[in-house]
Amino acid sequence: SRFCDVDLSPSIREELTTSQTLRDAWVVVARGNCSFVEKVINAQRFGAAGVVVADDRPIANSSLLTMSKTAADPDPTVPSIFI
């Protein structure tokens, strides 16, 4: 596997749909803009092998978070971690 730092915001999803950029890659995405599960599912749809969600906020301004999902959210099948 390899690592990619790719923004999965809606503005570039169209471009990634036909791209192999994320295929078999571990994707590093920044926290924010959408839910954790949405980030993982988006990366999974584009073929990512796994997802690292990076907390880009200073520790002093952040509390400990757990990546979670609701019962209505789809279940990701790729591994993911929040650091």
Side-chain angles (χ1 to χ4, degrees):
S1 294
R2 59 190 170 84
F3 279 87
C4 292
D5 183 5
V6 178
D7 175 9
L8 290 178
S9 62
S11 62
I12 67 162
R13 289 182 193 161
E14 182 72 30
E15 179 182 330
L16 288 174
T17 301
T18 58
S19 170
Q20 294 294 310
T21 302
L22 304 184
R23 180 80 39 213
D24 298 324
W26 273 83
V27 180
V28 178
V29 295
R31 170 185 170 190
N33 297 329
C34 63
S35 71
F36 292 122
V37 74
E38 185 177 354
K39 289 178 184 297
V40 176
I41 292 293
N42 285 338
Q44 178 180 300
R45 285 183 183 140
F46 297 123
V51 179
V52 176
V53 180
D55 190 353
D56 59 350
R57 299 177 186 166
I59 293 173
N61 296 332
S62 254
S63 58
L64 184 61
L65 295 174
T66 301
M67 288 191 351
S68 62
K69 65 181 221 55
T70 68
D73 290 329
D75 289 326
T77 59
V78 297
S80 59
I81 187 169
F82 176 67
I83 58 170

